Amino acid sequence: MQRREPTSPVAPIAPNEPPREHRSRAPEFYGFVAWTSTSVAFVLYVLWALLPDEYIVWLGVEWYPSREWSLLLPAYSIILVLLTYFVYFSLAIAHTPSFNDVSALVDSKGHLPAWDVSNPYLKHADSDAVPELYDIPIGIVNRVLYGPGLHCDT
């Protein structure tokens, strides 16, 4: 009888179980610590904002910030988030090229055909060939859309 190797395609089962992956449980612990610390910080913030002074002193806290900061911290954080959005939007507008800039029409990442090939845009006329994908230059787009001889006579 022919002996089959354990890795042959006709072997019924593998001889050994595949090695188990050893995953670290650190992300679970970090997530739990982050969740509990955030919850405790929120409860302390709400207690500081809402409890009268007598109760806070009774709990043993002798110094704490002024109560006006319970409103100023959320207000400042909202302003900071809105300012972040405004700055990113402003940077995007500042780095956008103007309409008459060549970089608005021609990209350095454009895939243009080689210049030594005789009209690669007509390769689709071959019945058995799939043409290569190219970016169409803006001059050809303008000729197709507006015609070759449109000039404004004033």
Side-chain angles (χ1 to χ4, degrees):
M1 177 163 176
Q2 181 180 354
R3 183 168 184 263
R4 296 183 187 166
E5 292 295 320
T7 57
S8 72
V10 293
I13 58 171
N16 298 329
E17 290 184 22
R20 294 184 182 205
E21 293 182 22
H22 177 69
R23 286 187 353 167
S24 173
R25 295 186 59 173
E28 296 174 12
F29 294 121
Y30 291 147
F32 177 73
V33 168
W35 176 75
T36 53
S37 60
T38 303
S39 300
V40 167
F42 178 70
V43 168
L44 289 176
Y45 168 76
V46 169
L47 289 177
W48 165 61
L50 299 178
L51 281 180
D53 291 336
E54 298 86 30
Y55 290 111
I56 295 177
V57 171
W58 179 78
L59 290 173
V61 178
E62 296 179 9
W63 181 89
Y64 51 90
S66 175
R67 296 288 171 94
E68 69 182 13
W69 286 102
S70 66
L71 295 176
L72 291 176
L73 285 177
Y76 285 160
S77 62
I78 289 173
I79 295 299
L80 183 67
V81 168
L82 293 176
L83 185 65
T84 303
Y85 281 117
F86 177 75
V87 166
Y88 281 138
F89 184 68
S90 300
L91 286 173
I93 289 177
H95 292 295
T96 302
S98 62
F99 288 126
N100 59 358
D101 192 6
V102 175
S103 64
L105 302 174
V106 178
D107 190 6
S108 64
K109 303 290 185 196
H111 182 61
L112 298 174
W115 292 108
D116 57 351
V117 178
S118 64
N119 203 351
Y121 299 106
L122 295 179
K123 291 287 186 188
H124 69 279
D126 296 341
S127 61
D128 61 342
V130 176
E132 189 175 348
L133 186 63
Y134 293 114
D135 292 330
I136 302 174
I138 193 67
I140 294 177
V141 172
N142 285 340
R143 263 185 261 137
V144 169
L145 288 177
Y146 307 116
L150 287 178
H151 296 289
C152 189
D153 295 333
T154 55

